Amino acid sequence: MSRGQSTQRKLKAPRGTFDVLGEESARRSALEARARALLEAAGYERIETPTFEATELFARGVGASTDIVRKEMFTFEDQAGRSLTLRPEGTAPVCRAYLEHGMHKRRQPVKLWYWSSFFRHERAQAGRYRQFWQLGAEAIGAEDPAVDAELIWLLSTLLAQLGVRGLRLRLSSLGSAQSRRAYRERLQAHLRANEASLSEDVRGRIELNPLRAFDSEHPGTRQVMQSAPRLLDELDAHDAEHFARVRELLDLAGVSYELDPTLVRGLDYYTRTVFELTSDALGAQSGVGGGGRYDGLIEQLGGPPTPGMGWAAGVERIMLAGDGEPEQPGHARVQAPAPAPLELFVALAGPRERLRGVAFALLSEARSADLSAQMDLAGRSLKGQLGLADALGARYVAIVEDTPAGGAGWRTTLKDMQGGGQREMATDAVVHAVLRSHHAL
Ligand code: HAM
């Protein structure tokens, strides 16, 4: 063949896609290793689902009124005429897998994480691609507020560890599907009464998806939304209580957040807690990650009523907003470690409502110190919790209990599950004690 110029046109990667190579590839592997270490130490197991799924999964799961389903899916027919779609997000596929594999028979909640590529036909720009990667985590099968707090803590801690700059956490609650229905009608009435000032897009969605009006950048719409009724003010007692508990746990774990009653997410499955993390190091596409509860999704997909909660963060946006160096140099450069044995299990001996906060603060403190640590998230009795600690192979169990009447709050007993000894100590001495023995081993 002649070495002259080819007559063939040079081909490029499709619009909105990119190749990963060289230094970039090494940075991504480091990030993945750091995420794996944090999530697996908290009891999350890796899951891979197929790159494409039946289109119906997203139509039912993500919601027919969302931008994703209306205009952003890469949908095609296979040779047999079945409609398939390249996954635009990971929550509906993970819930499908939970049902398909009968995971309700496993210990609840089932905690899963993923690092996968997703596809959305969006206008490509910096930080917004048509094929992108998400790091995500889901906990399915428990509605304890500690599930919400654990997941939010994990994402904000991970992003901070990865050096993401200018982080802001916004938090809200959307209530249950029932309370939202009543609210929706009142919001629609408000939008209809001010229809002339709204953008065409928002006007076109009054029936389908009025909540998205809070997201609009259109000046007239923004004006109208300032006097719109707020969902957060109208939660029923049960949802308000749940949200108060989530906030209390975040406060205890030292996670700072802003309450944002206008926070809406671009997917229809959310109920109760929703949150988003943004970085001011990013331009227009400032959302680094977000998520929330989806207590109705599994039912929507044909399963029994099953609560769920999770988040996803954009890998490219984490890289753009971070300095690329993990907080502890060298830490993430190592190969992904084998899942660590569980070092600490925190158990509650007494009323969950009183002790959950103390236990959660201890759990977060242990995780910050890089210990693998878990607590029960499914309302088990003390016996059930100790059984769980045993099944997880916990090295130490910290049992937090109320002091007898007149005492100063609570006390903690640290049990050595291998050596057999146990010792009563102040709760804030537990992590130190476990670390000390850990190093001695
Ligand atoms: P999402 O907010 O649509 O949520 O996406 C999560 C993150 O993925 C965004 O914050 C952003 O960083 C990244 N992302 C989204 N679209 C693009 C794009 N076109 N290009 C680059 N990055 C992008 C979800 O997908 C939910 N499944 C999250 C969840 C999990 N909720 C509960 N569990």
Side-chain angles (χ1 to χ4, degrees), residues 323-336:
D323 48 23
E325 291 304 319
E327 212 176 36
Q328 298 144 291
H331 200 117
R333 301 261 169 227
V334 292
Q335 279 294 307

Side-chain angles (χ1 to χ4, degrees), residues 28-84:
R28 289 171 80 102
S29 304
L31 200 158
E32 185 184 343
R34 186 68 202 131
R36 176 193 292 272
L38 186 74
L39 292 168
E40 294 192 349
Y44 289 74
E45 237 178 78
R46 178 88 178 240
I47 181 169
E48 298 279 359
T49 62
T51 305
F52 55 83
E53 297 267 0
T55 302
E56 192 186 348
L57 174 66
F58 302 111
R60 267 159 64 180
V62 174
S65 68
T66 60
D67 280 350
I68 294 180
V69 172
R70 288 203 319 161
K71 43 192 187 198
E72 293 171 1
M73 299 206 300
F74 285 94
T75 296
F76 58 98
E77 263 188 16
D78 71 2
Q79 279 76 350
R82 284 176 288 247
S83 181
L84 300 172

Side-chain angles (χ1 to χ4, degrees), residues 30 40 42 46 72 88 93 95 116 157 162 185-186 204 216 273 277 281 294 324 335 337-338 378 380 387 411 427:
E40 294 192 349
R46 178 88 178 240
E72 293 171 1
C95 289
S116 316
T157 301
L162 292 169
E185 281 170 22
R186 291 204 292 109
S216 174
T273 315
L277 276 140
Y294 42 86
Q335 279 294 307
R380 291 179 175 82
R411 64 179 177 205
T427 310

